[in-house]
Amino acid sequence: MSDDLDTRIADLEAHIAHQEKRIDDLDAVVTRQAGEIEHLQRHLRALAGLVAELEEASEVPITKPPHY
């Protein structure tokens, strides 16, 4: 009975170790993606500002299609 219990405990410890590794890997991916999202948001804001400046400076009125 003790050997069976030791085997079950060892299996559970191995399973937990794999889960911890997977969680760490997923955390690294989420952290990297958060940084990329922040970077893209900064660029999007900069581009939106540039478009707004170009619209203001344009002598030709910019009209949006009717579906906007």
Side-chain angles (χ1 to χ4, degrees), residues 10-67:
D11 289 344
L12 288 171
E13 288 175 341
H15 187 71
I16 289 170
H18 289 294
Q19 286 181 340
E20 287 177 345
K21 172 72 169 110
R22 182 163 290 178
I23 289 169
D24 289 342
D25 292 345
L26 290 172
D27 182 58
V29 169
V30 169
T31 302
R32 180 182 51 81
Q33 287 178 341
E36 289 176 5
I37 289 169
E38 288 176 18
H39 176 75
L40 291 171
Q41 286 175 334
R42 282 193 303 272
H43 282 282
L44 183 59
R45 282 191 294 272
L47 288 172
L50 180 59
V51 168
E53 288 176 16
L54 290 172
E55 285 178 343
E56 290 174 5
S58 176
E59 293 178 8
V60 178
I62 298 175
T63 58
K64 295 183 179 177
H67 63 275

